[in-house]
Amino acid sequence: MQGNELVCEQRQARSTGLQYGVASATGMLLTMIAGRLWVGVLTPIELAAEWLIPKLPIGLFEAGLGMFGGYAKPILYVVALVLTLALGGLIGAGYEAMLRRTLARPEKIAAGFTVVLVLLTGVVYLPAFGQGFFGAAATTGGGTTMAVYAVAYVVFGALLTVHSLLSDARGPLGEHNPSRRRFLRRGLVVGRGVLLLAVGAPIVARLLDSVSMTNLSLAEGMPAAFTPVGTFYNVSKNIVDPRVEAATWKLRVSGLVEEPFELTLDQLRALPSETKPHTLQCISNPVGGNLIGNGEWVGVPLAALLDRAKIRPGVVDIKLTSEDGYTDSIPLVKALESGTLLAYELNGEPLTYKHGAPLRLLVPDIYGMKNAKWITSIEAVAEDFKGYWQRQGWDDVATYQIVSQIRVPAANTALTVGAPLMVEGLAFAGHRGIETVEYTADGGRTWRQADLLPEIGDDCWRFWRASWTPNAAGAVRLSVRATDGAGASQKQAEAPPSPSGATGYHDIVVEVREAGA
């Protein structure tokens, strides 16, 4: 009987420890996430993701996007959170086992766990992911980084101790008392839930607002000439996008220049500005995808800042560094080109953090990945600098492919024989513009020219429309193609977004029925 009681007690101890470990790890994670959202210290999960994602082959990266779409990074984040909670549970089980094997006070064991976690983080984990010993190389600085981690680990240890003291009837609460133990455990569960809800709700709400998610669905319906800020596509390398404090932000212009300098946002906004309509498209946009938008941007020409800095001979690229550690570059000749803008407003409002506030780059003819957001540094370099995505194999030139889309009617729309309708869509080829758009309803045997609507701007998408009357019942495939202003035709051969942008004709299938059917 004593043996059975011992086994039951050990199982109960493991179960109790697991529960307390998971609850304590939840408090630790909430502390780390709060540090990320309000101070900017990357969580251990993000550090691991930052290390892993650039090392993925493009094919595997594309497969992940194909399987999970724009939710790939949030799913990765959730999986990592669950694994962290599981690890916390295992630590809690070990903690409970140590309590039962030794006479040490709970707070002493918890303090030991805390010290070990701090040392492992500072000496092993952070250096392994490029942050230096005790976070010395972190963008937030070693002191701030370690302070956030240390507070999180103290929360973990303190919660373990509180759980143990309140639930252990052999502890300071007096002699063995089963009814008191049950009462305290129930109270602890309720109190823990209330506390986590009160503390965690605002943190989770801000986290959900900050998580970077990309809508990879196919586009339908004609867009407005200027995409509303709230629906303008957003893509980044991050799990959680940075929120930069405009009041303390500075832009540094340096490198191979005669006169390096820094500007605050107010100083930048005081410079002569330009307003321009400009379309952005992500290089990950599939054929017919919606990772494209057009806005009216306000900013300062990049050439003006480079002229002020006085570029030295031998400069090849202008390197851009962002608040989130993202890097990229554009050739010097592109940086000096008319239309290359450092933008701080979109559609009449200051940039939102999702779109790169306080400052992002706009470059004619180049996919969005090189139009860096959250810029903090502009550096003239004497090399062809390869940025974050280029080191993974994505195109370093990244010139826009010619794109055309059918937006109306939507795929699988039911139409009627003999009833005319308007087929509408958009086309885009960067600064090269669009010369013609053609569509076919017979598999490409005949192509009909569509009407182009007036241009919105030199670097903007172009809307088109054509009247079409279906003349026979059945499934009909509508396809579209475009020719740019330089006379180049859109590529018919299908290619995935990686490494140079998707190609192929966009098509939809509609169902044509007899009248009255």
Side-chain angles (χ1 to χ4, degrees):
M1 291 295 292
Q2 289 182 346
N4 290 336
E5 290 178 358
L6 180 60
V7 170
C8 290
E9 186 174 339
Q10 289 174 341
R11 288 178 179 173
Q12 179 64 40
R14 284 195 296 269
S15 175
T16 300
L18 283 169
Q19 294 177 45
Y20 294 166
V22 169
S24 301
T26 301
M28 176 189 71
L29 284 173
L30 287 174
T31 304
M32 287 183 171
I33 292 170
R36 172 66 173 95
L37 296 175
W38 278 277
V39 185
V41 174
L42 293 177
T43 63
I45 293 171
E46 290 174 277
L47 289 176
E50 290 274 347
W51 175 85
L52 174 64
I53 292 175
K55 292 175 172 55
L56 295 176
I58 289 182
L60 184 58
F61 183 87
E62 287 285 316
L65 287 179
M67 183 177 298
F68 300 109
Y71 298 100
K73 287 184 291 184
I75 289 173
L76 176 65
Y77 193 56
V78 170
V79 169
L81 288 174
V82 171
L83 291 175
T84 302
L85 292 176
L87 178 60
L90 293 176
I91 293 176
Y95 170 80
E96 188 70 16
M98 290 184 67
L99 281 178
R100 293 175 181 272
R101 287 200 306 266
T102 70
L103 297 177
R105 297 287 298 164
E107 60 271 23
K108 291 184 178 180
I109 297 177
F113 275 121
T114 301
V115 171
V116 169
L117 287 172
V118 169
L119 290 175
L120 285 176
T121 299
V123 177
V124 179
Y125 196 87
L126 291 177
F129 294 113
Q131 304 299 296
F133 285 101
F134 294 98
T139 56
T140 49
T144 301
T145 300
M146 287 307 302
V148 169
Y149 285 144
V151 169
Y153 297 145
V154 167
V155 168
F156 179 69
L159 288 176
L160 276 180
T161 301
V162 170
H163 289 316
S164 177
L165 291 176
L166 290 180
S167 63
D168 188 357
R170 298 169 302 164
L173 297 173
E175 67 280 358
H176 182 72
N177 188 329
S179 61
R180 170 174 285 190
R181 176 179 290 189
R182 286 193 297 271
F183 173 78
L184 288 173
R185 282 179 176 167
R186 289 170 183 168
L188 184 60
V189 169
V190 174
R192 182 173 62 206
V194 172
L195 179 62
L196 289 178
L197 182 62
V199 175
I203 296 175
V204 172
R206 180 154 173 157
L207 174 64
L208 292 175
D209 182 56
S210 301
V211 167
S212 176
M213 288 190 287
T214 304
N215 183 0
L216 292 177
S217 62
L218 297 182
E220 293 182 347
M222 282 302 293
F226 292 96
T227 310
V229 173
T231 57
F232 209 109
Y233 85 89
N234 173 54
V235 177
S236 77
K237 71 176 182 63
N238 306 306
I239 294 175
V240 178
D241 287 330
R243 296 174 184 252
V244 182
E245 290 293 334
T248 58
W249 173 88
K250 287 185 179 181
L251 173 68
R252 177 160 181 78
V253 181
S254 62
L256 294 177
V257 298
E258 297 290 345
E259 299 179 9
F261 61 91
E262 289 185 345
L263 291 173
T264 65
L265 184 58
D266 287 340
Q267 290 171 330
L268 185 73
R269 293 176 69 96
L271 298 176
S273 64
E274 292 183 3
T275 300
K276 64 170 295 191
H278 187 104
T279 296
L280 276 175
Q281 182 183 203
C282 180
I283 198 168
S284 293
N285 200 26
V287 173
N290 64 4
L291 299 182
I292 184 171
N294 186 60
E296 186 172 68
W297 308 81
V298 177
V300 175
L302 176 55
L305 299 190
L306 297 179
D307 287 344
R308 172 175 168 177
K310 298 180 181 178
I311 297 292
R312 292 178 179 176
V315 171
V316 175
D317 276 358
I318 299 300
K319 175 186 172 183
L320 305 146
T321 303
S322 302
E323 177 72 20
D324 59 349
Y326 181 80
T327 57
D328 213 320
S329 69
I330 58 174
L332 176 61
V333 64
K334 201 70 180 175
L336 297 175
E337 186 177 300
S338 174
T340 299
L341 202 67
L342 292 168
Y344 47 75
E345 286 186 10
L346 171 59
N347 294 347
E349 299 290 338
L351 285 178
T352 64
Y353 80 92
K354 286 285 187 184
H355 296 295
L359 192 71
R360 73 165 302 159
L361 182 69
L362 294 179
V363 190
D365 268 341
I366 292 181
Y367 276 110
M369 69 173 177
K370 298 184 80 68
N371 292 242
K373 298 187 283 187
W374 308 293
I375 297 173
T376 58
S377 171
I378 296 171
E379 183 182 358
V381 297
E383 61 176 317
D384 181 13
F385 177 82
K386 298 296 190 292
Y388 180 88
W389 292 115
Q390 287 71 49
R391 292 193 294 271
Q392 296 183 51
W394 292 81
D395 197 332
D396 189 34
V397 179
T399 302
Y400 282 129
Q401 303 283 359
I402 303 172
V403 170
S404 59
Q405 297 181 352
I406 299 171
R407 292 293 190 97
V408 176
N412 302 314
T413 297
L415 306 176
T416 302
V417 173
L421 76 150
M422 196 65 69
V423 181
E424 300 178 80
L426 61 86
F428 179 59
H431 194 68
R432 307 185 304 278
I434 295 296
E435 184 66 28
T436 60
V437 172
E438 301 169 290
Y439 75 98
T440 180
D442 57 12
R445 290 190 296 274
T446 59
W447 288 88
R448 303 176 185 179
Q449 189 164 321
D451 296 323
L452 295 177
L453 275 63
E455 288 185 342
I456 300 170
D458 292 340
D459 295 288
C460 297
W461 56 22
R462 190 87 180 264
F463 292 164
W464 61 268
R465 63 174 55 155
S467 179
W468 173 61
T469 302
N471 55 21
V476 177
R477 183 177 298 274
L478 295 172
S479 301
V480 63
R481 68 185 184 187
T483 302
D484 71 14
S489 299
Q490 183 175 349
K491 296 177 182 177
Q492 183 177 7
E494 295 183 0
S498 64
S500 302
T503 62
Y505 294 167
H506 181 223
D507 55 38
I508 63 168
V509 175
V510 294
E511 185 66 31
V512 181
R513 302 171 182 172
E514 296 288 352

